Amino acid sequence: MSGPGIPNYLDYKWRRRGLDHDRFPHRNLPQAKPVVWPGKARVALWVAVHVGHFPMDMPRTPFVAPGGVDRPYPSYWDYTQRDYGNRVGIYRLMRALDARGLRATALLNSAVATRYPALAKEIAASRWEVAAAGVDMGKLHHGGLAEAAERALVEQAVGDLRGVFGSTIRGWHSPAHSESMRTLDLVAGAGLDYVADWINDDMPYPVTTSAGALTAMPLAWDLSDQRLLFQQHMDTAEFVEQVLRAFATLYAEAGRTGGGRILGLTITPWLMGQPHRIRALGTLLDRLLAHAGVWPATGAEIVDAWRA
């Protein structure tokens, strides 16, 4: 249906053969040049930790982020469960990773760094990589945002984190994988060089923006605890088994092709940091690290090795 004042949804400038954007050319992974990781490792183990702030008055549009407040304001039940992750759960994750010499990438809302200075200090001391993950889980990126408003969100998130952690912020992950058509341009314009929003590959690939090149990193959504434990209500043992099955496939592919693969282990403090799950995380990490040819790395380290 179209007419005066009514948008015609069939008018779409990218309607054509191939991809419906100009961010990157199509690539078939089996035909891609093999990637060699340091030490000729088969699988890079990338532990990424969602560290978010969920405002009590989160908006319900354009959508509610995974884990967002479901009950009418003020929902202390929702708010305090998420807050548990930032005052209890994350410290269990830190101990589990530190005990195994692992450095994670903290996908960090800038509101966490400014509202939880004690936690920011602990993250800095942990030597985790910090990647910008927007301002908070209520400020999503979408096409309804004016360009100036979205630019302000990106600049606030990156600026606040660099003010706390220094100039080492290189990565970006939009809250709840939310993006507008210009988010990547704004992220590159803010001086970042990799993004973890697009989930269409197992390996990195270059992304074109108006402000220079970015590297897209494969942040695993289908293997994340938010997807499996929170949305699909799997028990913890099955979550562990799913990750191990994925690892077995990637490990075998790397051995067959002679090129490295990435296992992204994406976890959340208010889910995996619970006392009934944390031991299972330790068991999972031990089983992964028991394999020869596993390279634990941060997102930035993987990007650098892939570019090299």
Side-chain angles (χ1 to χ4, degrees):
M1 178 177 174
S2 62
I6 300 176
N8 185 346
Y9 294 106
L10 297 179
D11 290 340
Y12 183 50
K13 71 175 184 177
W14 291 106
R15 189 173 300 283
R16 61 180 186 182
R17 292 182 181 275
L19 301 176
D20 60 349
H21 57 79
D22 59 352
R23 294 296 187 184
F24 56 84
H26 180 75
R27 180 192 74 180
N28 293 321
L29 183 58
Q31 297 173 352
K33 180 180 178 180
V35 174
V36 180
W37 296 136
K40 297 185 178 179
R42 286 194 185 190
V43 176
L45 173 60
W46 181 27
V47 181
V49 181
H50 289 291
V51 189
H53 172 66
F54 291 82
M56 206 176 298
D57 59 346
M58 286 182 66
R60 304 196 66 80
T61 57
F63 64 91
V64 178
V69 175
D70 293 322
R71 303 183 183 193
Y73 174 85
S75 175
Y76 292 103
W77 188 90
D78 285 307
Y79 175 81
T80 55
Q81 185 189 25
R82 284 39 165 185
D83 190 46
Y84 178 93
N86 291 337
R87 62 178 65 240
V88 181
I90 191 167
Y91 296 101
R92 290 195 180 108
L93 297 184
M94 286 180 175
R95 285 195 294 271
L97 295 171
D98 286 349
R100 293 159 178 85
L102 299 176
R103 294 176 61 217
T105 297
L107 306 172
L108 193 66
N109 286 164
S110 64
V112 174
T114 56
R115 286 173 174 263
Y116 300 83
L119 176 54
K121 184 177 180 180
E122 292 285 347
I123 291 173
S126 73
R127 294 177 56 250
W128 286 10
E129 179 198 10
V130 173
V135 175
D136 63 46
M137 298 307 295
K139 294 182 175 61
L140 304 181
H141 296 252
H142 56 89
L145 274 180
E147 181 173 354
E150 187 175 12
R151 178 178 285 105
L153 287 179
V154 173
E155 291 178 350
Q156 179 183 349
V158 176
D160 286 351
L161 290 175
R162 283 180 171 159
V164 173
F165 296 100
S167 61
T168 57
I169 310 298
R170 294 177 51 189
W172 173 269
H173 175 59
S174 299
H177 292 263
S178 61
E179 279 193 9
S180 76
M181 293 293 284
R182 57 179 170 262
T183 303
L184 297 179
D185 303 312
L186 298 174
V187 168
L192 305 184
D193 66 0
Y194 81 84
V195 64
D197 289 344
W198 292 29
I199 54 175
N200 57 343
D201 214 309
D202 284 341
M203 293 293 287
Y205 59 86
V207 176
T208 300
T209 81
S210 63
L214 288 172
T215 298
M217 280 286 288
L219 186 68
W221 167 243
D222 282 352
L223 278 181
S224 69
D225 58 359
Q226 291 185 16
R227 177 69 166 168
L228 298 179
L229 297 178
F230 183 70
Q231 291 188 338
Q232 297 186 351
H233 307 292
M234 284 187 180
D235 62 38
T236 309
E238 186 156 1
F239 168 79
V240 169
E241 189 59 32
Q242 292 275 41
V243 175
L244 291 173
R245 290 172 190 165
F247 172 79
T249 297
L250 296 169
Y251 194 81
E253 283 183 359
R256 185 172 62 252
T257 65
R261 288 289 188 263
I262 299 171
L263 178 72
L265 181 58
T266 314
I267 53 179
T268 309
W270 55 269
L271 287 170
M272 194 54 67
Q274 297 283 350
H276 61 286
R277 292 189 177 119
I278 193 65
R279 290 191 178 185
L281 175 64
T283 299
L284 171 59
L285 293 172
D286 289 340
R287 292 180 67 179
L288 293 172
L289 294 171
H291 290 77
V294 174
W295 173 46
T298 65
E301 289 170 340
I302 293 172
V303 168
D304 289 342
W306 175 77
R307 290 175 178 168

mmCIF file of all heavy atoms in Angstrom, residues 155-193:
data_model
loop_
_atom_site.group_PDB
_atom_site.id
_atom_site.type_symbol
_atom_site.label_atom_id
_atom_site.label_comp_id
_atom_site.label_asym_id
_atom_site.label_seq_id
_atom_site.Cartn_x
_atom_site.Cartn_y
_atom_site.Cartn_z
ATOM 1 N N GLU A 155 30.427 8.843 21.758
ATOM 2 C CA GLU A 155 31.502 9.657 22.329
ATOM 3 C C GLU A 155 31.486 9.618 23.857
ATOM 4 O O GLU A 155 32.549 9.605 24.493
ATOM 5 C CB GLU A 155 31.375 11.097 21.823
ATOM 6 C CG GLU A 155 31.697 11.231 20.327
ATOM 7 C CD GLU A 155 31.530 12.645 19.809
ATOM 8 O OE1 GLU A 155 30.974 13.486 20.555
ATOM 9 O OE2 GLU A 155 31.945 12.911 18.653
ATOM 10 N N GLN A 156 30.291 9.583 24.451
ATOM 11 C CA GLN A 156 30.220 9.484 25.915
ATOM 12 C C GLN A 156 30.771 8.149 26.392
ATOM 13 O O GLN A 156 31.559 8.104 27.352
ATOM 14 C CB GLN A 156 28.775 9.639 26.385
ATOM 15 C CG GLN A 156 28.617 9.510 27.907
ATOM 16 C CD GLN A 156 27.171 9.588 28.360
ATOM 17 O OE1 GLN A 156 26.267 9.930 27.584
ATOM 18 N NE2 GLN A 156 26.923 9.269 29.623
ATOM 19 N N ALA A 157 30.363 7.069 25.734
ATOM 20 C CA ALA A 157 30.825 5.752 26.161
ATOM 21 C C ALA A 157 32.337 5.626 26.045
ATOM 22 O O ALA A 157 33.019 5.216 26.995
ATOM 23 C CB ALA A 157 30.142 4.666 25.321
ATOM 24 N N VAL A 158 32.879 6.000 24.886
ATOM 25 C CA VAL A 158 34.320 5.869 24.667
ATOM 26 C C VAL A 158 35.092 6.842 25.548
ATOM 27 O O VAL A 158 36.101 6.485 26.171
ATOM 28 C CB VAL A 158 34.653 6.088 23.182
ATOM 29 C CG1 VAL A 158 36.165 6.058 22.961
ATOM 30 C CG2 VAL A 158 33.976 5.025 22.320
ATOM 31 N N GLY A 159 34.607 8.079 25.635
ATOM 32 C CA GLY A 159 35.309 9.085 26.437
ATOM 33 C C GLY A 159 35.343 8.743 27.912
ATOM 34 O O GLY A 159 36.391 8.886 28.570
ATOM 35 N N ASP A 160 34.212 8.286 28.457
ATOM 36 C CA ASP A 160 34.190 7.944 29.884
ATOM 37 C C ASP A 160 35.099 6.763 30.191
ATOM 38 O O ASP A 160 35.807 6.752 31.209
ATOM 39 C CB ASP A 160 32.756 7.623 30.328
ATOM 40 C CG ASP A 160 31.883 8.861 30.452
ATOM 41 O OD1 ASP A 160 32.429 9.977 30.371
ATOM 42 O OD2 ASP A 160 30.661 8.712 30.634
ATOM 43 N N LEU A 161 35.117 5.767 29.315
ATOM 44 C CA LEU A 161 35.971 4.606 29.563
ATOM 45 C C LEU A 161 37.448 4.958 29.424
ATOM 46 O O LEU A 161 38.289 4.496 30.209
ATOM 47 C CB LEU A 161 35.606 3.464 28.614
ATOM 48 C CG LEU A 161 34.251 2.796 28.894
ATOM 49 C CD1 LEU A 161 33.936 1.764 27.819
ATOM 50 C CD2 LEU A 161 34.236 2.140 30.264
ATOM 51 N N ARG A 162 37.777 5.775 28.424
ATOM 52 C CA ARG A 162 39.176 6.185 28.293
ATOM 53 C C ARG A 162 39.595 7.067 29.461
ATOM 54 O O ARG A 162 40.764 7.052 29.867
ATOM 55 C CB ARG A 162 39.382 6.900 26.962
ATOM 56 C CG ARG A 162 39.452 5.927 25.783
ATOM 57 C CD ARG A 162 39.654 6.600 24.453
ATOM 58 N NE ARG A 162 39.934 5.607 23.414
ATOM 59 C CZ ARG A 162 39.767 5.798 22.122
ATOM 60 N NH1 ARG A 162 39.306 6.973 21.688
ATOM 61 N NH2 ARG A 162 40.039 4.850 21.253
ATOM 62 N N GLY A 163 38.648 7.813 30.026
ATOM 63 C CA GLY A 163 38.967 8.623 31.194
ATOM 64 C C GLY A 163 39.315 7.779 32.405
ATOM 65 O O GLY A 163 40.084 8.202 33.268
ATOM 66 N N VAL A 164 38.771 6.563 32.479
ATOM 67 C CA VAL A 164 39.036 5.674 33.609
ATOM 68 C C VAL A 164 40.183 4.711 33.311
ATOM 69 O O VAL A 164 41.051 4.481 34.155
ATOM 70 C CB VAL A 164 37.764 4.879 33.976
ATOM 71 C CG1 VAL A 164 38.059 3.828 35.040
ATOM 72 C CG2 VAL A 164 36.667 5.826 34.453
ATOM 73 N N PHE A 165 40.207 4.143 32.088
ATOM 74 C CA PHE A 165 41.143 3.062 31.771
ATOM 75 C C PHE A 165 42.286 3.490 30.845
ATOM 76 O O PHE A 165 43.155 2.676 30.540
ATOM 77 C CB PHE A 165 40.402 1.893 31.129
ATOM 78 C CG PHE A 165 39.397 1.240 32.035
ATOM 79 C CD1 PHE A 165 38.045 1.537 31.918
ATOM 80 C CD2 PHE A 165 39.792 0.354 33.020
ATOM 81 C CE1 PHE A 165 37.107 0.952 32.751
ATOM 82 C CE2 PHE A 165 38.872 -0.243 33.862
ATOM 83 C CZ PHE A 165 37.528 0.065 33.727
ATOM 84 N N GLY A 166 42.268 4.717 30.360
ATOM 85 C CA GLY A 166 43.323 5.164 29.468
ATOM 86 C C GLY A 166 42.958 4.971 28.009
ATOM 87 O O GLY A 166 41.817 4.659 27.660
ATOM 88 N N SER A 167 43.923 5.112 27.145
ATOM 89 C CA SER A 167 43.685 5.142 25.692
ATOM 90 C C SER A 167 43.687 3.759 25.052
ATOM 91 O O SER A 167 43.746 3.652 23.831
ATOM 92 C CB SER A 167 44.750 6.011 25.022
ATOM 93 O OG SER A 167 46.047 5.472 25.264
ATOM 94 N N THR A 168 43.618 2.696 25.867
ATOM 95 C CA THR A 168 43.734 1.344 25.316
ATOM 96 C C THR A 168 42.394 0.789 24.825
ATOM 97 O O THR A 168 42.326 -0.371 24.428
ATOM 98 C CB THR A 168 44.297 0.386 26.377
ATOM 99 O OG1 THR A 168 43.450 0.422 27.540
ATOM 100 C CG2 THR A 168 45.710 0.795 26.778
ATOM 101 N N ILE A 169 41.328 1.570 24.857
ATOM 102 C CA ILE A 169 40.022 1.094 24.405
ATOM 103 C C ILE A 169 40.043 0.994 22.880
ATOM 104 O O ILE A 169 40.174 1.995 22.186
ATOM 105 C CB ILE A 169 38.888 2.040 24.854
ATOM 106 C CG1 ILE A 169 38.991 2.343 26.351
ATOM 107 C CG2 ILE A 169 37.537 1.440 24.490
ATOM 108 C CD1 ILE A 169 38.859 1.143 27.232
ATOM 109 N N ARG A 170 39.889 -0.216 22.362
ATOM 110 C CA ARG A 170 39.944 -0.433 20.910
ATOM 111 C C ARG A 170 38.672 -1.045 20.342
ATOM 112 O O ARG A 170 38.383 -0.886 19.166
ATOM 113 C CB ARG A 170 41.127 -1.347 20.574
ATOM 114 C CG ARG A 170 42.490 -0.737 20.868
ATOM 115 C CD ARG A 170 43.608 -1.723 20.577
ATOM 116 N NE ARG A 170 43.502 -2.312 19.246
ATOM 117 C CZ ARG A 170 44.261 -3.326 18.812
ATOM 118 N NH1 ARG A 170 45.180 -3.852 19.607
ATOM 119 N NH2 ARG A 170 44.104 -3.798 17.587
ATOM 120 N N GLY A 171 37.948 -1.805 21.166
ATOM 121 C CA GLY A 171 36.803 -2.540 20.676
ATOM 122 C C GLY A 171 35.478 -1.897 21.034
ATOM 123 O O GLY A 171 35.387 -1.070 21.953
ATOM 124 N N TRP A 172 34.435 -2.282 20.293
ATOM 125 C CA TRP A 172 33.081 -1.779 20.524
ATOM 126 C C TRP A 172 32.086 -2.926 20.427
ATOM 127 O O TRP A 172 32.169 -3.773 19.531
ATOM 128 C CB TRP A 172 32.721 -0.723 19.485
ATOM 129 C CG TRP A 172 31.274 -0.282 19.567
ATOM 130 C CD1 TRP A 172 30.211 -0.823 18.897
ATOM 131 C CD2 TRP A 172 30.743 0.779 20.375
ATOM 132 N NE1 TRP A 172 29.044 -0.163 19.240
ATOM 133 C CE2 TRP A 172 29.347 0.823 20.143
ATOM 134 C CE3 TRP A 172 31.313 1.692 21.251
ATOM 135 C CZ2 TRP A 172 28.514 1.741 20.779
ATOM 136 C CZ3 TRP A 172 30.484 2.606 21.875
ATOM 137 C CH2 TRP A 172 29.112 2.633 21.643
ATOM 138 N N HIS A 173 31.138 -2.931 21.369
ATOM 139 C CA HIS A 173 29.992 -3.832 21.286
ATOM 140 C C HIS A 173 28.756 -3.038 21.680
ATOM 141 O O HIS A 173 28.647 -2.584 22.823
ATOM 142 C CB HIS A 173 30.171 -5.030 22.214
ATOM 143 C CG HIS A 173 28.970 -5.931 22.261
ATOM 144 N ND1 HIS A 173 28.464 -6.548 21.142
ATOM 145 C CD2 HIS A 173 28.159 -6.301 23.293
ATOM 146 C CE1 HIS A 173 27.406 -7.270 21.478
ATOM 147 N NE2 HIS A 173 27.196 -7.129 22.772
ATOM 148 N N SER A 174 27.834 -2.851 20.749
ATOM 149 C CA SER A 174 26.625 -2.093 21.050
ATOM 150 C C SER A 174 25.766 -2.852 22.049
ATOM 151 O O SER A 174 25.685 -4.089 21.981
ATOM 152 C CB SER A 174 25.813 -1.850 19.783
ATOM 153 O OG SER A 174 26.538 -1.109 18.839
ATOM 154 N N PRO A 175 25.112 -2.157 22.983
ATOM 155 C CA PRO A 175 24.228 -2.845 23.929
ATOM 156 C C PRO A 175 23.211 -3.705 23.178
ATOM 157 O O PRO A 175 22.524 -3.224 22.282
ATOM 158 C CB PRO A 175 23.544 -1.700 24.681
ATOM 159 C CG PRO A 175 24.478 -0.528 24.536
ATOM 160 C CD PRO A 175 25.117 -0.688 23.187
ATOM 161 N N ALA A 176 23.151 -4.981 23.527
ATOM 162 C CA ALA A 176 22.194 -5.923 22.927
ATOM 163 C C ALA A 176 22.368 -6.039 21.412
ATOM 164 O O ALA A 176 21.411 -6.309 20.694
ATOM 165 C CB ALA A 176 20.760 -5.533 23.261
ATOM 166 N N HIS A 177 23.588 -5.880 20.914
ATOM 167 C CA HIS A 177 23.873 -5.959 19.472
ATOM 168 C C HIS A 177 23.062 -4.933 18.674
ATOM 169 O O HIS A 177 22.808 -5.123 17.490
ATOM 170 C CB HIS A 177 23.582 -7.360 18.919
ATOM 171 C CG HIS A 177 24.511 -8.428 19.402
ATOM 172 N ND1 HIS A 177 25.606 -8.867 18.684
ATOM 173 C CD2 HIS A 177 24.505 -9.156 20.540
ATOM 174 C CE1 HIS A 177 26.225 -9.818 19.354
ATOM 175 N NE2 HIS A 177 25.580 -10.010 20.484
ATOM 176 N N SER A 178 22.646 -3.847 19.292
ATOM 177 C CA SER A 178 21.806 -2.861 18.592
ATOM 178 C C SER A 178 22.666 -1.941 17.739
ATOM 179 O O SER A 178 23.744 -1.520 18.155
ATOM 180 C CB SER A 178 21.019 -2.030 19.612
ATOM 181 O OG SER A 178 21.895 -1.315 20.473
ATOM 182 N N GLU A 179 22.204 -1.633 16.540
ATOM 183 C CA GLU A 179 22.912 -0.722 15.645
ATOM 184 C C GLU A 179 21.919 0.037 14.778
ATOM 185 O O GLU A 179 20.837 -0.478 14.463
ATOM 186 C CB GLU A 179 23.870 -1.480 14.710
ATOM 187 C CG GLU A 179 25.197 -1.844 15.320
ATOM 188 C CD GLU A 179 26.195 -2.288 14.255
ATOM 189 O OE1 GLU A 179 25.895 -2.153 13.052
ATOM 190 O OE2 GLU A 179 27.281 -2.751 14.639
ATOM 191 N N SER A 180 22.315 1.227 14.384
ATOM 192 C CA SER A 180 21.653 1.925 13.287
ATOM 193 C C SER A 180 22.518 1.739 12.044
ATOM 194 O O SER A 180 23.582 1.111 12.092
ATOM 195 C CB SER A 180 21.496 3.413 13.608
ATOM 196 O OG SER A 180 22.743 4.086 13.465
ATOM 197 N N MET A 181 22.098 2.310 10.928
ATOM 198 C CA MET A 181 22.885 2.209 9.700
ATOM 199 C C MET A 181 24.203 2.981 9.790
ATOM 200 O O MET A 181 25.095 2.776 8.971
ATOM 201 C CB MET A 181 22.066 2.722 8.511
ATOM 202 C CG MET A 181 20.863 1.857 8.169
ATOM 203 S SD MET A 181 21.315 0.216 7.543
ATOM 204 C CE MET A 181 21.835 0.626 5.871
ATOM 205 N N ARG A 182 24.332 3.856 10.780
ATOM 206 C CA ARG A 182 25.560 4.672 10.862
ATOM 207 C C ARG A 182 26.411 4.357 12.100
ATOM 208 O O ARG A 182 27.441 5.000 12.315
ATOM 209 C CB ARG A 182 25.189 6.156 10.858
ATOM 210 C CG ARG A 182 24.245 6.542 11.979
ATOM 211 C CD ARG A 182 23.918 8.014 11.982
ATOM 212 N NE ARG A 182 22.833 8.276 12.908
ATOM 213 C CZ ARG A 182 21.553 8.400 12.566
ATOM 214 N NH1 ARG A 182 21.196 8.312 11.311
ATOM 215 N NH2 ARG A 182 20.619 8.622 13.469
ATOM 216 N N THR A 183 26.008 3.372 12.904
ATOM 217 C CA THR A 183 26.760 3.082 14.126
ATOM 218 C C THR A 183 28.222 2.778 13.831
ATOM 219 O O THR A 183 29.129 3.284 14.503
ATOM 220 C CB THR A 183 26.123 1.903 14.879
ATOM 221 O OG1 THR A 183 24.754 2.196 15.166
ATOM 222 C CG2 THR A 183 26.859 1.645 16.196
ATOM 223 N N LEU A 184 28.477 1.938 12.832
ATOM 224 C CA LEU A 184 29.861 1.573 12.514
ATOM 225 C C LEU A 184 30.687 2.792 12.115
ATOM 226 O O LEU A 184 31.868 2.894 12.481
ATOM 227 C CB LEU A 184 29.887 0.534 11.407
ATOM 228 C CG LEU A 184 29.237 -0.814 11.721
ATOM 229 C CD1 LEU A 184 29.319 -1.732 10.509
ATOM 230 C CD2 LEU A 184 29.887 -1.462 12.928
ATOM 231 N N ASP A 185 30.088 3.732 11.375
ATOM 232 C CA ASP A 185 30.808 4.946 10.992
ATOM 233 C C ASP A 185 31.183 5.769 12.225
ATOM 234 O O ASP A 185 32.301 6.298 12.324
ATOM 235 C CB ASP A 185 29.945 5.794 10.046
ATOM 236 C CG ASP A 185 29.527 5.028 8.799
ATOM 237 O OD1 ASP A 185 30.388 4.396 8.163
ATOM 238 O OD2 ASP A 185 28.328 5.049 8.478
ATOM 239 N N LEU A 186 30.247 5.867 13.177
ATOM 240 C CA LEU A 186 30.502 6.649 14.386
ATOM 241 C C LEU A 186 31.541 5.973 15.274
ATOM 242 O O LEU A 186 32.381 6.643 15.886
ATOM 243 C CB LEU A 186 29.194 6.847 15.156
ATOM 244 C CG LEU A 186 28.107 7.624 14.416
ATOM 245 C CD1 LEU A 186 26.810 7.635 15.227
ATOM 246 C CD2 LEU A 186 28.565 9.056 14.139
ATOM 247 N N VAL A 187 31.495 4.647 15.343
ATOM 248 C CA VAL A 187 32.469 3.913 16.143
ATOM 249 C C VAL A 187 33.880 4.096 15.576
ATOM 250 O O VAL A 187 34.839 4.362 16.319
ATOM 251 C CB VAL A 187 32.082 2.419 16.197
ATOM 252 C CG1 VAL A 187 33.221 1.576 16.758
ATOM 253 C CG2 VAL A 187 30.825 2.240 17.038
ATOM 254 N N ALA A 188 34.014 3.954 14.268
ATOM 255 C CA ALA A 188 35.325 4.172 13.647
ATOM 256 C C ALA A 188 35.770 5.615 13.834
ATOM 257 O O ALA A 188 36.957 5.891 14.078
ATOM 258 C CB ALA A 188 35.275 3.814 12.166
ATOM 259 N N GLY A 189 34.831 6.548 13.740
ATOM 260 C CA GLY A 189 35.177 7.959 13.929
ATOM 261 C C GLY A 189 35.635 8.268 15.331
ATOM 262 O O GLY A 189 36.357 9.255 15.552
ATOM 263 N N ALA A 190 35.233 7.447 16.307
ATOM 264 C CA ALA A 190 35.668 7.641 17.690
ATOM 265 C C ALA A 190 37.042 7.043 17.958
ATOM 266 O O ALA A 190 37.531 7.090 19.091
ATOM 267 C CB ALA A 190 34.642 7.035 18.648
ATOM 268 N N GLY A 191 37.669 6.473 16.932
ATOM 269 C CA GLY A 191 39.033 5.972 17.075
ATOM 270 C C GLY A 191 39.137 4.516 17.465
ATOM 271 O O GLY A 191 40.225 4.050 17.811
ATOM 272 N N LEU A 192 38.041 3.745 17.388
ATOM 273 C CA LEU A 192 38.096 2.323 17.699
ATOM 274 C C LEU A 192 38.405 1.536 16.432
ATOM 275 O O LEU A 192 38.205 2.035 15.322
ATOM 276 C CB LEU A 192 36.767 1.867 18.309
ATOM 277 C CG LEU A 192 36.315 2.658 19.545
ATOM 278 C CD1 LEU A 192 35.039 2.071 20.122
ATOM 279 C CD2 LEU A 192 37.408 2.696 20.617
ATOM 280 N N ASP A 193 38.891 0.294 16.588
ATOM 281 C CA ASP A 193 39.303 -0.429 15.382
ATOM 282 C C ASP A 193 38.711 -1.823 15.241
ATOM 283 O O ASP A 193 38.972 -2.498 14.257
ATOM 284 C CB ASP A 193 40.828 -0.473 15.261
ATOM 285 C CG ASP A 193 41.503 -1.283 16.354
ATOM 286 O OD1 ASP A 193 40.804 -1.834 17.225
ATOM 287 O OD2 ASP A 193 42.744 -1.380 16.318
#
